[in-house]
Structure formats: C-alpha cells, structure tokens
Amino acid sequence: MKQLPFQPTAMNEQLIVKNFGPIKDATVDFKRVTVFIGPTGGGKSTLAKLAAVFHDERIYFESKLSEILRNYSINNYMQNNSYLQFSTATITSLFDSNLKISSRKRDDARINSEGEEDIRRDLKSIGEKVLNTINSMPSQNYKDLNNIDEVILQENENTLYNLITEVRNLLKNNHGHHFTSSKQIYIPAERTFISSIEYSWAGLLKDNIGLSILILEFANSFSLSRKTVSELDIHFLNAKYLHLNGRDFIEIPNRKEPLMLLETSSGMQSVTPLLVLIEHLNRNTEQAQSFIIEEPELNLYPTAQQGLLNWLVEKCTKGENDLTITTHSPYILSHLNLLLYAYQVAEQHPERADEVAELVPRESWINPKEFACYQVENGGVISLVNEDLGLIDDNGLDGLSGDAADAFDNLIRLSKGVALK
C-alpha cells in the first residue's frame, strides 16, 4: 500500500497574543493545516497576519519593526499592555509595546538589545578587516615580481576565507537560530482586485495611490508567476487558465474563443491568481513555505469551495510546507472533516485505502495530528477540534448555523399555533 499523505512533523509553533487589536487573549498552536473561522472583525486576519510577520526574517534584523507591521496594516494595533510571543522548536521571540524585539533560545540564552549591539560591533570589525585585506592584495599589474606577490595573494586569500568563516559562525551562533524554518507566502482577500487591473499594478505602484503593500506584493508575485505557469487546469471549475501574449484568459467548454480573465465570473477572478501563484511556488522545493490565505472561498459555490480546498491541501502541504487559512464558510469546515476522516479510515483499514482514495483524493487527506481549527470571537480563540475523534466538533459546526436553525424551528412552532416562551 502507498504511504499515507504527510506524516506528523514537529512544527511546535505557538503564537501568544494579548491586547493587540481585536485580540484580547489568544494562544494558537499552529499545525500543518491551521484554520481560523469567526465573525467579521473578530480577529482572524490579525492572527494570520501575525503568523506571517513572525515568519518574515526581516523582523529579526531590522530595527523599524513598525514598518513591517504597517505592511500588514496592523501597526496601530499595539497598545501599552500588548504582548506578542512566537515560539518555534528552538527559539522564542516577543515584541514589547515599543515594538522592540527580544529573543531567547530554549536554553534561555537571551539576545537583547545589548547583545544585538555587540553582534553589530563584531560584524563591523570583521568588515573593516576584510576591506583592509582586500586593499593590501597585490594588483594584477605586478604579477611579474618573482613569486612574492603570489605568496602575499595566497596569504590574503586565506585571511579572507578565515574572516568569512568567522562571519558565518557569528551569524550562526547569534542570529541563525532566529530564522524560521519556512518562508511566508501571504495571499490577501483583496486579490479579486488583481484581475481587473492586469498589468496596470506597476503604474499604480509608481503613482503611489495608497494601495495596500500586501496587494501590491501579491500583484507582483502573480505577474512573475505567469512567466512560468502559462497554462493551468482548474478542474473544480471545469476551466483552464491560459497566459497568451501578455494577457490572461480562461478557456471554458463549449466556447471556441477563451474569455479574458477580467470578463469571467467574480469567483474565477478571485481564485485564478491564487492558483497560478501557488502552482509557481509549488515548484520551488529548496525551502519550506508557509502559505497563509485569507478567505480562499471568496465568491465560490459550495462544491467549488470543496474542490479548491482539495487542491490547496494537496499543493500547500507538500514536503515541509504548511497551510493557514481564514474563512467565513461552514462548507469549508464540513469538507475539512471529510478530509480528516478519509485519513483516519485509511489508517485504520489500510486494505481499503484505495477505495477511500476513490471517494476522497489521497493527496488531500489530512492527518488529525497535523490539524488545528479555531473559532476567533470576543477577543479570544476556542479550538473546534474534538481531540478524541480527530474531527471538528459537531457543536462547532452547529454553532455556525445555530441561530438560523433555531429561528426556523421557532417559525415551525408558530405555524402550528405553539406559543414561544
């Protein structure tokens, strides 16, 4: 039997947020697949953006952390009593209310502002030595002076090599542990805008009209991805993406000429840039990637949402990659349960795994040990996963549509002449 899809990995990533924007107190343990659901303005995107911030290596080397937070439109969320902490298997990093970052290894070898200054001073000293060594190296014009210059050149090359090794060790011992294991890929909900402007985004950036940095970065990434992904089948929409002569088209059945992407439905315009970019990035196997996607279900019919989710789990959890999504859709949660249960049935009955795969694509199965789902509401989070069953709890699913169901039940009572208490 084929091996089950992705096996458990020790991600050990945890985010603690207190008094930051709409979040009052929340602790999130990120898994291979992590889902946030909740009402508008509840804080789903805040948590997703913070996960992206802490996966952005720039925050560990640049002093103007507020600029990075501004890129995610959360720079004004910090309060005097805010607390942000992000932990991996090897490092814990936190912001204080002044947007200063400090980090510590698991062995509590703390790196604070004084330690950072020591590192900069050491690097500056090494840099000066490198420049002095380069300046002392003989010119090629004097190679005819016996072999003296060659000896000097060799000695200086050895010196440069030793200095480079020193820099490498310095970074490894003091900064290297900061690096997150994966590169963040943030896909904002505003991506529906991209299909309308096509290549005009560059001019919009030049004119500085105030578009979000996230949407501009996504537009740039999508533009680059089209150079390598000129065709892409979109099976769950029964369509095909084509990039021809610098334009984006969608080919659909029973139509001779393809439609321009901007002429298609809002759902097609929302999902196509996302798919093309992920397909492009999926071909990069050099570094693990953390895909963080806001509302992947935008403008899609429920069955299309399910097909998209299958595709995202397959593409975004390959190797050491992981997937985090925010959503408003109970259909997404219901389908996640299907993917979780398919894994469990195949694990418990290996001899039936192929039959399970005929019902649910094998590449989309989700190991319950690698799954987390949180309701984000009232300033906090509640896990919706039933640990015993390895599924999203029925109470969590029912709660999302409970008000409508209760109202319908009450209408039935009224129609039968039963007074409401």
Side-chain angles (χ1 to χ4, degrees):
M1 188 196 76
K2 295 182 180 179
Q3 186 179 24
L4 290 176
F6 58 83
Q7 300 301 307
T9 58
M11 290 181 63
N12 295 323
E13 291 185 349
Q14 184 183 77
L15 175 65
I16 299 176
V17 183
K18 296 182 180 180
N19 303 311
F20 186 84
I23 302 299
K24 303 305 178 186
D25 191 350
T27 298
V28 175
D29 292 304
F30 286 89
K31 300 296 182 69
R32 184 67 69 90
V33 177
T34 304
V35 179
F36 296 117
I37 190 167
T40 301
K44 303 182 301 298
S45 292
T46 299
L47 294 174
K49 288 177 178 178
L50 285 174
V53 166
F54 278 106
H55 278 97
D56 191 328
E57 294 179 352
R58 293 176 297 175
I59 68 171
Y60 303 109
F61 293 96
E62 298 181 9
S63 57
K64 297 182 179 179
L65 302 175
S66 59
E67 292 184 4
I68 299 175
L69 293 176
R70 186 175 295 110
N71 289 346
Y72 292 90
S73 302
I74 54 175
N75 55 303
N76 292 323
Y77 284 6
M78 187 70 80
Q79 306 169 34
N80 291 332
N81 58 346
S82 294
Y83 180 88
L84 303 175
Q85 177 179 300
F86 187 73
S87 300
T88 67
T90 58
I91 188 72
T92 294
S93 302
L94 58 89
F95 286 120
D96 62 22
S97 58
N98 295 318
L99 298 181
K100 298 295 184 182
I101 191 170
S102 61
S103 302
R104 63 177 182 271
K105 294 181 181 179
R106 289 297 191 187
D107 58 7
D108 288 329
R110 182 175 293 275
I111 295 180
N112 51 29
S113 58
E114 291 79 10
E116 296 284 349
E117 185 59 36
D118 290 340
I119 294 170
R120 293 190 185 96
R121 185 168 53 251
D122 290 342
L123 285 171
K124 181 179 179 180
S125 175
I126 295 173
E128 291 173 349
K129 292 178 182 177
V130 170
L131 288 177
N132 291 335
T133 302
I134 291 175
N135 290 333
S136 67
M137 294 175 71
S139 168
Q140 295 294 324
N141 296 331
Y142 300 101
K143 281 284 188 158
D144 57 340
L145 297 178
N146 298 323
N147 66 343
I148 295 178
D149 290 333
E150 293 182 8
V151 173
I152 295 174
L153 180 62
Q154 181 64 44
E155 290 178 350
N156 286 332
E157 285 179 338
N158 290 336
T159 301
L160 283 174
Y161 177 82
N162 292 333
L163 288 172
I164 292 171
T165 301
E166 189 175 345
V167 171
R168 183 183 295 115
N169 290 335
L170 180 66
L171 291 175
K172 179 180 179 180
N173 293 333
N174 295 287
H175 270 0
H177 64 277
H178 277 313
F179 292 155
T180 56
S181 59
S182 59
K183 177 182 179 182
Q184 61 85 13
I185 309 296
Y186 198 92
I187 300 178
E190 299 90 339
R191 62 186 175 274
T192 53
F193 184 52
I194 299 301
S195 300
S196 300
I197 62 174
E198 287 199 311
Y199 281 94
S200 301
W201 67 268
L204 296 174
L205 178 61
K206 179 181 178 182
D207 294 337
N208 190 25
I209 66 171
L211 286 176
S212 162
I213 295 296
L214 283 181
I215 193 62
L216 289 173
E217 289 182 345
F218 177 76
N220 183 50
S221 297
F222 173 50
S223 179
L224 293 174
S225 67
R226 290 183 284 196
K227 296 179 180 179
T228 59
V229 182
S230 58
E231 295 185 8
L232 182 64
D233 287 324
I234 307 177
H235 298 292
F236 58 89
L237 292 178
N238 195 23
K240 183 176 183 178
Y241 165 80
L242 300 171
H243 185 63
L244 301 171
N245 302 319
R247 305 296 294 273
D248 297 316
F249 296 91
I250 296 296
E251 191 176 79
I252 58 177
N254 303 321
R255 182 182 174 88
K256 293 181 179 180
E257 298 295 327
L259 291 168
M260 288 190 295
L261 179 58
L262 58 82
E263 297 175 323
T264 60
S265 67
S266 57
M268 187 71 73
Q269 293 184 46
S270 171
V271 79
T272 299
L274 177 154
L275 297 177
V276 173
L277 175 58
I278 292 177
E279 176 66 23
H280 167 72
L281 295 173
N282 196 249
R283 298 173 184 179
N284 174 21
T285 59
E286 296 180 358
Q287 182 181 8
Q289 300 173 101
S290 288
F291 293 93
I292 303 173
I293 306 173
E294 285 190 292
E295 302 176 37
E297 75 278 0
L298 282 176
N299 305 315
L300 293 178
Y301 192 68
T303 53
Q305 293 181 30
Q306 296 164 4
L308 172 61
L309 188 59
N310 285 348
W311 194 91
L312 290 177
V313 172
E314 175 188 350
K315 297 290 184 176
C316 299
T317 61
K318 280 186 176 180
E320 295 301 314
N321 294 345
D322 57 80
L323 171 66
T324 297
I325 66 173
T326 69
T327 183
H328 290 120
S329 173
Y331 299 109
I332 290 288
L333 296 197
S334 296
H335 194 63
L336 284 166
N337 262 355
L338 182 68
L339 305 185
L340 290 162
Y341 195 50
Y343 182 99
Q344 294 181 60
V345 173
E347 184 180 44
Q348 295 166 5
H349 304 282
E351 73 283 0
R352 300 176 186 170
D354 289 339
E355 295 177 72
V356 174
E358 292 180 4
L359 298 173
V360 181
R362 187 187 302 268
E363 295 78 12
S364 302
W365 300 349
I366 300 177
N367 185 334
K369 295 179 181 178
E370 292 292 297
F371 177 75
C373 182
Y374 295 94
Q375 173 87 8
V376 186
E377 194 171 12
N378 299 322
V381 298
I382 300 174
S383 174
L384 298 182
V385 177
N386 184 314
E387 297 296 339
D388 294 330
L389 298 177
L391 300 170
I392 299 172
D393 198 297
D394 287 340
N395 292 330
L397 290 172
D398 293 341
L400 296 174
S401 56
D403 291 342
D406 291 343
F408 194 84
D409 289 342
N410 286 332
L411 287 174
I412 292 176
R413 293 189 181 96
L414 290 172
S415 71
K416 295 180 178 180
V418 179
L420 301 178
K421 296 181 180 180

